[in-house]
Amino acid sequence: MNFLRGVMGGQSAGPQHTEAETIQKLCDRVASSTLLDDRRNAVRALKSLSKKYRLEVGIQAMEHLIHVLQTDRSDSEIIGYALDTLYNIISNDEEEEVDDVEEENSTRQSEDLGSQFTEIFIKQQENVTLLLSLLEEFDFHVRWPGVKLLTSLLKQLGPQVQQIILVSPMGVSRLMDLLADSREVIRNDGVLLLQALTRSNGAIQKIVAFENAFERLLDIISEEGNSDGGIVVEDCLILLQNLLKNNNSNQNFFKEGSYIQRMKPWFEVGDENSGWSAQKVTNLHLMLQLVRVLVSPTNPPGATSSCQKAMFQCGLLQQLCTILMATGVPADILTETINTVSEVIRGYQVNQDYFASVNAPSNPPRPAIVVLLMSMVNERQPFVLRCAVLYCFQCFLYKNQKGQGEIVSTLLPSTIDATGNSVSAGQLLCGGLFSTDSLSNWCAAVALAHALQENATQKEQLLRVQLATSIGNPPVSLLQQCTNILSQGDKIDRRGSKIQTRVGLLMLLCTWLSNCPIAVTHFLHNSANVPFLTGQIAENLGEEEQLVQGLCALLLGISIYFNDNSLESYKKEKLKQLIEKRIGKENFIEKLGFISKHELYSRASQKPQPNFPSPEYMIFDHEFTKLVKELEGVITKAIYKSSEEDKKEEEVKKTLEQHDNIVTHYKNMIREQDLQLEELKQQVSTLKCQNEQLQTAVTQQVSQIQQHKDQYNLLKIQLGKDNQHQGSYSEGAQMNGVQPEEIGRLREEIEELKNNQELLQSKLTEKDSVIENLKSSQTSGTNEQSSAIVSARDSEQVAELKQELATLKSQLNSQSVEITKLQTEKQELLQKTEVFAKSVEVQGETQTVIATKTTDVEGRLSALLQETKELKNEIKALSEERTAIKEQLDSSNSTIAILQTEKDKLELEITDSKKEQDDLLVLLADQDQKILSLKNKLKDLGHPVEEEDELESGDQEDEDDESEDPGKDLDHI
């Protein structure tokens, strides 16, 4: 406060003495007045003076205004005036117009005042907590000024205010309620407040995200019209970026909450391309940047790939590709869309495959990759757009060996379109590689290098590419043409940077030759290449050429390190000796270090995206910087190694290869053994299941056997008790008198059933013989007449068989009824015997009479038991015979059905033969007519008709008559 008073006293252009006194009086009224109206009027007056006399009001009135906020919370009007006054003091927003001369001084001074007043306000943390509690008031005149004041505090001293809010209870949650306010002014300013609150603070970002911020913000964006919305949409998108950028936790929460799917409607821009307002362009630009935040290459690979998968599944990638291929899209939106699509497909195979299938809406349709490459090699296109296309191509090929193979295949002789109607990606890259525009050369070389990145197969395939240079000259390989252009240097007049073309070609050659001994052999096979490289490295050139010298040293080092010593004149040792003689090892290593020491090298190594302010800065590629970092050390070691060390290293390599082969062999064996173990485990599990099932079956059978044993023992005990019974058997004698009659009746019925069964059996044999006769007659009948007679007989016999079958079935039913009756009678007999055995009473007779009667009863009982057993066996035999009769009846029915179908086939054949004979008769009649007409013509011409002709005609007539007879016979039949 003393400092501010000093500043105020030192100001030359201060207020008049009367204004200072007025502010003092107003402050005294606020502090001492007992009436609320007086204090309210004084605060209103301070508010009106606070904009013009910001410093004076701030110095004298801040403490009084804070006291008002603490004591007069019941009156919303005075609280609103106090908050507005504090906002005017702290905020740096200059609403009044100032002259151009005073503007610079006042801006700097106001910024200092704002930060100083903010520091005074937040020195007591209770002031910020008080302000947060005031934001809970629903009154518009309290909440809105409070939001503006807190936003201003965060703008002035953001980290300090963020920390206070973070430690205050429910501080962030109170601010989140502002997004749900129905008054748009407060809601929109609440978005701005959260923007300032979440800036560069991960902890607050997480709290805001978990307070359902994503849901509310996306609702606001959709309510405002997505990309067609106003500045509110822009503010919401900036807040979403603050929450998601470099915050893996929030990104994962955004993906898990299925919020990526809600981004798709943002990019449904429609066909009316006239409505591209400045606000819409800004909104769409921010939306694309938000998509890029989720799939940025700097994010963890797992999180990026999951977001890429979600974007493909919900159709977001397809929507972006639609914008990419649309017409009338502004250039900056198109550029940002290309960059966004690039990162959505980067390193994710499914998205890369989809992008390869996208076609531009042209006639004929062309792949989107080809259309984009046409823009990249076209020097009339904007530089930023060309960089974006190059980035898109790089992302398409990143970890995509399938796509690399497709691009290289367009350069191979077998796949080039001979008609020349369509332009392929390979042709465009070659055209850009050898054009007179240095930027096109560089872009094409880098794009082609990405088609070879970490893919030894395509490096070997590219050696097959042949180029036609001029008419009459033989074609040269692509590798040879690259080295030819490299050796020409500045002789060709090119537009753009002097070294850009050579740097691009050298990066391509270094990528091509690394980890590919075959390509190194092809490169060294051209005797002019090594002298050119040593000459370039040995020269003392300017700073611009030092980079070229470093790249030449790297290329020569790659030729040594990946050399398989297949060329006698360019073995590793000879190339090292050449370097030592022509250049010197120390000089060579120094030139090699020029690459990593270049100022643009570190810039390119930071991000994969080629983002350059102008074409002159487009020197290094991100992936190439990785290659340099990987090879620089090993090449340095390889240069200083002696021949003996090389031999030792080769031996070590061979032993390692052998070891690797042995390891792979054992791995395969282990894999096979694992498979066998799995199969054996499955067999063991199945055998265990079978064993368990068998054990359960055995236990069940054992329990059943035990039950039967128990039943048998019980029966034996009951029979023993019956034998030990003593008493008279007078009632038993009466029952024994009844039983023989019933048994006799049962035997008679059984005899009748046997007779009926024999009759049925004889009838069945007769029917079987009839069926056999039918079969023999059907197979023997070859002519039509007999088949017709047989069919008539068959129909009669079938009808008879059906009737007899019906009678047999009825007889069987009656037999089954009788059998059931017999079984019930048997059960009654058994019950009577049991009742009789139980009802025997002991009477007092002599021992001799009892013994004789018991023996008589035992004999009769045994006889009865024997007879019942016989009856059971007979009933069982009858039931078996009945089932056999049923089976025979079923077989006879099936044979009848077969005969019926064969009869139908014979009838069809007869009708077909009739039709054929009718057709023959018609043909013969036509032939006779023709012969007669020919004879008449001969007679008219005066040619005598011979007798043989007449005889032949007579014979033909006889034959016709004979041929007509069978038809008549057939009609008769």
Side-chain angles (χ1 to χ4, degrees), residues 252-304:
N252 188 46
F253 182 66
F254 192 83
K255 177 184 71 68
E256 295 292 336
S258 301
Y259 296 120
I260 290 175
Q261 288 81 342
R262 295 187 61 180
M263 296 169 74
K264 185 191 172 186
W266 295 356
F267 304 102
E268 294 174 357
V269 293
D271 295 330
E272 60 274 0
N273 295 321
S274 57
W276 288 97
S277 62
Q279 187 61 56
K280 183 175 181 178
V281 170
T282 304
N283 291 344
L284 206 56
H285 202 274
L286 288 168
M287 289 169 178
L288 291 167
Q289 285 181 350
L290 193 62
V291 174
R292 292 184 66 185
V293 165
L294 294 170
V295 292
S296 173
T298 57
N299 293 344
T304 301

Side-chain angles (χ1 to χ4, degrees), residues 37 47 107 121 171 228 307 387 421 466 524 568 572 583 586 624 683 685 709 755 808:
D37 291 337
K47 175 192 169 185
T107 302
F121 185 83
D228 293 320
C307 289
C387 290
N421 293 330
Q466 300 288 321
L524 296 175
E568 186 66 31
K572 284 185 178 181
I583 306 165
E586 289 78 8
F624 180 73
Q683 289 178 5
S685 62
K709 282 182 179 179
N755 294 329
L808 284 171

Side-chain angles (χ1 to χ4, degrees), residues 628-690:
V628 172
K629 197 177 293 183
E630 178 187 343
L631 294 177
E632 189 174 5
V634 295
I635 289 171
T636 304
K637 289 179 183 178
I639 295 297
Y640 283 112
K641 277 180 185 175
S642 61
S643 58
E644 294 178 357
E645 290 176 346
D646 284 337
K647 287 178 182 178
K648 286 181 182 179
E649 190 175 348
E650 286 177 3
E651 289 176 0
V652 170
K653 281 183 180 178
K654 286 180 182 178
T655 54
L656 285 172
E657 286 176 0
Q658 290 174 359
H659 181 265
D660 290 340
N661 292 331
I662 293 166
V663 169
T664 52
H665 174 66
Y666 280 116
K667 280 182 179 178
N668 292 329
M669 284 179 64
I670 291 165
R671 199 174 290 113
E672 290 174 359
Q673 288 173 356
D674 287 338
L675 292 172
Q676 290 175 0
L677 278 172
E678 287 295 326
E679 290 176 358
L680 291 170
K681 282 179 182 177
Q682 289 177 359
Q683 289 178 5
V684 168
S685 62
T686 53
L687 288 171
K688 279 182 180 178
C689 293
Q690 290 176 2

Side-chain angles (χ1 to χ4, degrees), residues 824-842:
T824 53
E825 288 175 358
K826 176 196 164 191
Q827 291 291 332
E828 289 174 357
L829 283 171
L830 288 171
Q831 289 174 1
K832 285 177 181 179
T833 55
E834 289 175 359
V835 170
F836 168 72
K838 290 178 181 178
S839 63
V840 173
E841 295 178 355
V842 180

Side-chain angles (χ1 to χ4, degrees), residues 861-903:
L861 280 170
S862 61
L864 282 170
L865 288 170
Q866 187 66 31
E867 286 177 358
T868 53
K869 282 182 182 178
E870 289 175 359
L871 285 170
K872 279 183 181 178
N873 293 329
E874 287 175 358
I875 288 163
K876 189 184 287 185
L878 285 170
S879 63
E880 289 175 355
E881 287 174 0
R882 178 168 169 264
T883 54
I885 289 164
K886 276 188 176 180
E887 290 176 355
Q888 288 177 358
L889 284 171
D890 293 335
S891 63
S892 64
N893 285 330
S894 63
T895 51
I896 289 164
I898 292 164
L899 288 170
Q900 187 68 31
T901 54
E902 289 179 353
K903 175 192 168 190

